[in-house]
């Protein structure tokens, strides 16, 4: 494959089209995002350590490219939503696809760094229908994989090439988002077993844990396109609201979703008594007795019949329908923010389709 000399990546028009992918990305992914997936995956393959090294093999396994013993698979790298959003924002703001590739690859690598470490912290043994990295190679190697993905992200974003000043600004945006993600994860762990957490605290948690990185995806794409400050800020806000929508839907899937489609057990969040939107939503409408029952059940994760009883209380308080309504409202707020950014209406329509996908995804 030929490479543009002054760019850190192969140019978009030299990417092999299209690479075979599993259905992890989902046929429902909007065309405005899915059309760039081969470019993103090629950039990730270019950026990561060689698969002949232990670190490279484990990173490739986490991304779904190889089996634990290094044999190629037909799997893809997941939805690549954050990377696709970075490229989408760059194009929406008048930039070339090539300009946004470093940001797209970097934000996807950072996202996967958080996933590997989250799996260790949460004790999850399955992701994307496969054993997690730490469950195969141990926690210590899982930490190494996460750290390797983190370092590779910044090497990728700041590699020698054009528009260095814009990429430096994008790196600052990404660093700020990473700090927020970690703060959100700290808060998430601290609030396990606390169904009485105020909704405002929950929103602060998910805005940091999930919204920050989606906001940075759109912000970096806009920065690399040279967009005006107001557009950059509005797209960041839209991305943060999109992240709230994503996490609320993720919470819904973790409680009510089909494990065969999500790739993780439906009882995982409830089994660990994690703070999720359906619980927060139901608790706010519960009677004193129901609130006390929920607090007791969350305080004793090993209580026999605890999960079925929690589900029964949630159903009695209007779940999952109430959560679906709140997810839809948050998605609409994200579209409103994008519409105020100054983008052409056709791009706002694109973003509306993206939020529709995020709000109703099934995995």
């Amino acid at each position: 494959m030929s490479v543009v000399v002054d760019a850190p990546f192969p140019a978009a028009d030299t990417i092999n089209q299209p690479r075979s992918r599993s259905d992890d990305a989902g046929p429902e992914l909007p065309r405005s995002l899915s059309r760039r997936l081969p470019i993103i995956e090629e950039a990730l393959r270019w950026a990561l350590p060689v698969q002949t090294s232990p670190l490279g093999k484990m990173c490739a396994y986490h991304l779904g490219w190889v089996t634990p013993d290094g044999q190629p698979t037909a799997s893809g790298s997941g939805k690549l939503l954050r990377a696709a959003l970075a490229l989408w924002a760059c194009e929406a703001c008048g930039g070339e696809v090539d300009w946004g590739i470093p940001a797209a690859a970097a934000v996807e690598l950072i996202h996967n760094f958080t996933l590997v470490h989250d799996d260790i912290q949460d004790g999850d043994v399955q992701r994307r229908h496969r054993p997690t990295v730490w469950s195969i190679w141990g926690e210590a190697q899982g930490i190494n994989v996460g750290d390797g993905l983190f370092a590779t992200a910044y090497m990728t974003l700041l590699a020698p090439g054009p528009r260095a000043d814009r990429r430096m600004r994008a790196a600052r945006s990404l660093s700020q988002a990473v700090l927020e993600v970690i703060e959100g994860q700290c808060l998430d762990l601290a609030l396990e077993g606390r169904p009485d957490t105020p909704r405002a605290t929950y929103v602060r948690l998910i805005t940091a844990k999930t919204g920050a990185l989606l906001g940075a995806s759109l912000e970096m794409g806009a920065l690399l396109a040279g967009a005006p400050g107001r557009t950059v800020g509005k797209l960041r806000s839209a991305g943060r609201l999109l992240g709230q929508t994503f996490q609320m839907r993720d919470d819904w899937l973790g409680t009510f979703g089909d494990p065969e489609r999500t790739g993780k057990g439906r009882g995982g969040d409830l089994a660990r008594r994690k703070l999720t939107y359906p619980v927060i939503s139901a608790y706010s409408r519960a009677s004193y007795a129901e609130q006390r029952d929920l607090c007791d059940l969350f305080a004793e994760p090993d209580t026999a019949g605890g999960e079925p009883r929690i589900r029964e209380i949630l159903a009695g308080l209007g779940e999952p329908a109430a959560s679906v309504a709140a997810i839809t409202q948050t998605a609409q707020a994200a579209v409103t923010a994008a519409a105020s950014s100054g983008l052409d209406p056709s791009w706002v329509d694109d973003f509306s389709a993206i939020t529709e996908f995020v709000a109703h995804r099934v995995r």
Side-chain angles (χ1 to χ4, degrees), residues 282-349:
Y283 188 91
S284 69
R285 297 185 301 277
S287 66
Y288 174 76
E290 290 165 331
Q291 289 179 343
R292 185 179 60 192
D293 284 349
L294 281 171
C295 287
D296 289 345
L297 289 165
F298 270 71
E300 299 292 341
D302 297 328
T303 301
E307 289 176 45
R309 175 57 182 152
I310 293 172
R311 292 184 190 281
E312 180 183 340
I313 294 173
L314 297 185
L317 292 168
E319 297 297 335
S323 289
V324 170
I327 291 166
T328 300
Q329 184 178 24
T330 306
Q332 290 171 345
V335 175
T336 299
S340 67
S341 68
L343 293 183
D344 185 270
S346 64
W347 289 105
V348 177
D349 289 344

Side-chain angles (χ1 to χ4, degrees), residues 214-278:
L214 269 73
S217 299
L218 294 180
E219 181 180 11
M220 288 194 295
L223 284 170
L224 290 176
R230 174 180 170 78
T231 299
V232 172
K234 290 292 185 178
L235 287 178
R236 178 177 61 244
S237 297
R240 291 168 77 86
L241 287 162
L242 185 67
Q244 290 180 21
T245 305
F246 186 99
Q247 188 59 56
M248 291 164 71
R249 182 63 178 177
D250 208 54
D251 288 356
W252 190 97
L253 289 170
T255 305
F256 304 112
D258 179 359
E260 293 299 316
R261 305 195 75 174
T262 63
K264 52 186 178 182
R266 193 174 75 172
D269 287 345
L270 291 183
R272 290 195 303 273
R273 304 302 195 259
K274 290 182 70 65
L275 188 67
T276 63
Y277 188 77

